[in-house]
């Protein structure tokens, strides 16, 4: 074992080979293995969304994690860009003050309604690993409705964009609409950056998803992806919206 940077380990495995009839002639081989920690995962809870400009805007990075060490301490950096990729300013024209904690709290009436702000998160660990995430926040005047989507498979809740879905097992997407009563729900499939050239993505969608408007259940709808239909390994973006 050699000295290595933090989080990285080296191991050497050697083998000696010789003939039973000639134990003096020995051949040797050595292979060096490098073990690196898995990449960090940076996440902003809630993702892209619309927020009332009258309400406090809360942004949390507490769902960020390390696959190898759940107790790892993170350091956080936030930044914000608005139109033309310029640094974000509040309604009075001052640059937004963003602290270096896991959660940001921006007071109501600080951001202009009708504008889109992109918040960028950088998560760092003491061993030098870095992960990034961003969230687009659309500011609206008055109250806004909230939509949450939960992905489950085999009774296990998965993290969208992080966990993989097993190709041979059904997965369930459930959307809950907060603030609306019995909305008419439309599910759609968007092409991700990695499969945007697929010509048959709409055909895959029609085969893979059963759409159901749930009667008697306020504010929710369910789409079920069938097993062994979507391409592997390919990311797909499902969207639930009110009609």
């Amino acid at each position: 074992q050699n000295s290595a940077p933090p989080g990285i380990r080296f191991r050497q495995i050697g083998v000696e080979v010789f003939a039973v009839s000639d134990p003096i002639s020995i051949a040797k081989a050595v292979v060096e293995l490098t073990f690196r920690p898995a990449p960090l995962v940076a996440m902003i809870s809630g993702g892209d969304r619309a927020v009332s400009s009258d309400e406090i805007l809360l942004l949390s990075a507490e769902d960020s994690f390390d696959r190898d060490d759940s107790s790892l301490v993170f350091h956080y950096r936030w930044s914000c860009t608005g139109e033309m990729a310029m640094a974000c300013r509040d309604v009075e024209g001052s640059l937004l003050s963003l602290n270096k904690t896991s959660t940001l709290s921006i007071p109501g009436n600080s951001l202009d309604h009708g504008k889109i702000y992109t918040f960028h998160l950088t998560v760092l660990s003491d061993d030098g690993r870095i992960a990034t995430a961003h969230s687009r926040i659309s500011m609206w005047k008055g109250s806004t409705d909230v939509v949450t989507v939960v992905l489950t498979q085999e009774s296990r809740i998965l993290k969208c964009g992080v966990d993989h879905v097993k190709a041979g097992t059904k997965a369930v997407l459930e959307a809950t609409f907060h603030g609306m009563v019995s909305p008419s729900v439309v599910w759609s499939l968007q092409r991700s950056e990695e499969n945007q050239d697929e010509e048959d993505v709409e055909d895959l969608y029609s085969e893979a998803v059963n759409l159901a408007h749930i009667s008697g259940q306020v504010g929710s709808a369910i789409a079920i992806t069938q097993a062994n239909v979507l391409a592997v390994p390919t990311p797909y973006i499902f969207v639930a919206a009110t009609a």
Side-chain angles (χ1 to χ4, degrees), residues 209-241:
V209 181
N210 290 331
L211 304 180
H213 291 177
I214 307 302
S215 59
Q217 189 172 356
V218 177
S220 66
I222 295 177
I224 303 175
T225 62
Q226 302 302 311
N228 296 316
V229 176
L230 296 179
V232 178
T234 305
Y236 292 89
I237 302 173
F238 290 88
V239 180

Side-chain angles (χ1 to χ4, degrees), residues 163-224:
D163 292 330
H164 289 82
V165 175
K166 295 180 181 178
T169 308
K170 289 184 179 181
V172 178
L173 289 161
E174 181 174 2
T176 302
F177 294 78
H178 309 271
M180 289 174 281
V181 178
S182 300
S184 177
V185 179
V186 176
W187 284 89
S188 62
L189 177 65
Q190 292 183 356
R191 303 180 183 185
S192 71
E193 295 179 356
E194 297 182 34
N195 69 353
Q196 59 184 352
D197 294 331
E198 288 189 24
E199 297 180 354
D200 58 348
V201 66
E202 294 300 331
D203 294 334
L204 285 172
Y205 169 72
S206 62
E207 295 179 29
V209 181
N210 290 331
L211 304 180
H213 291 177
I214 307 302
S215 59
Q217 189 172 356
V218 177
S220 66
I222 295 177
I224 303 175

